[in-house]
Amino acid sequence: MSEPRVSAEPLRTDRLDLLPLRVEHAEEMAAVLADPALHHFIGGEPLSPDGLRARYERLVAGSGNPAVSWCNWVLRLRAGSCLVGTVQATITADGTAEISWVIGTPWQRRGLASEAARGLVAWLEQGPVHTVVAHVHPAHQASATVAAAAGLTPTEEWQDGEVRWRRQRLPR
C-alpha cells in the first residue's frame, strides 16, 4: 500500500520563503538560472522563459505515477523580494526523498542553498520521509557543503558519476 501523494506547501526559513512552484515563476526564474556556469556539473544549458515555462508545466502536473510525488519550490529572498533559486524533492512511496538545489550565481556564497536544504529536509522528515538522498558531483565542493549542512553524509555509492549522500531518520 502506498502513502498518499505529498504536495509542496509554503515553507519559511530565516531569510527565505520556499514557494510551491507555479508556471508563472518561469519568467523571473529564467533570469535567475541564465548563467551557463550553473550547468557545469549537471549538463545542459539555460532555458529560455518559454522553455522553462514548458518545463514548469510538466513539473506542476506531477509525475503521473501515484507512488511518486514531485515537490518543487522557488526560493524568494525576503530582503530583496526576489527569486534566487529552487529546491526540489522526488518522494517515493517507500519513504525516500531525492533532493536537489540550485541558487542563481549572484546569490551564491551566502549560505542560501544550505538554509533552503535544511528547511526542506526538516519539512520532509515531518511527513512520511525517513531517507533523504542527494547526488553530488565529487568536484562540486559547494554542493557537498550544502548536503553536509542539511545533515546528509557521503556514502560509497555512485550514480551517474556522482556520490550518493544520505540522511536516515530514526524510526519514531
Side-chain angles (χ1 to χ4, degrees):
M1 184 164 150
S2 67
E3 292 284 333
R5 275 195 185 238
V6 179
S7 296
E9 58 187 56
L11 306 174
R12 186 177 174 96
T13 66
D14 288 342
R15 299 175 289 168
L16 298 167
D17 292 320
L18 284 66
L19 307 172
L21 180 69
R22 294 190 337 251
V23 174
E24 294 79 25
H25 291 129
E27 188 81 28
E28 186 174 355
M29 285 305 301
V32 170
L33 303 174
D35 185 350
L38 291 175
H39 299 268
H40 178 76
F41 291 106
I42 60 173
E45 58 189 37
L47 293 174
S48 68
D50 287 340
L52 199 55
R53 187 173 301 104
R55 176 172 167 74
Y56 285 1
E57 286 171 354
R58 288 189 304 274
L59 291 173
V60 168
S63 75
N65 179 343
V68 177
S69 298
W70 289 348
C71 296
N72 297 275
W73 293 262
V74 293
L75 309 175
R76 182 177 62 206
L77 181 62
R78 284 192 299 279
S81 192
C82 60
L83 299 182
V84 298
T86 65
V87 291
Q88 60 186 38
T90 298
I91 305 165
T92 56
D94 70 356
T96 300
E98 291 201 18
I99 66 170
S100 63
W101 49 84
V102 64
I103 297 291
T105 305
W107 300 278
Q108 292 179 358
R109 294 182 222 13
R110 299 182 192 182
L112 296 173
S114 293
E115 182 177 323
R118 282 191 305 270
L120 174 59
V121 169
W123 179 79
L124 289 166
E125 290 183 341
Q126 291 174 8
V129 172
H130 57 75
T131 303
V132 178
V133 298
H135 298 95
V136 177
H137 190 283
H140 199 323
Q141 185 55 49
S143 253
T145 299
V146 172
L152 284 74
T153 55
T155 69
E156 297 295 319
E157 300 170 45
W158 288 70
Q159 183 176 335
D160 298 327
E162 296 181 320
V163 177
R164 187 175 174 99
W165 289 61
R166 177 181 289 117
R167 172 184 171 120
Q168 291 212 248
R169 181 183 74 199
L170 295 175
R172 294 181 193 182

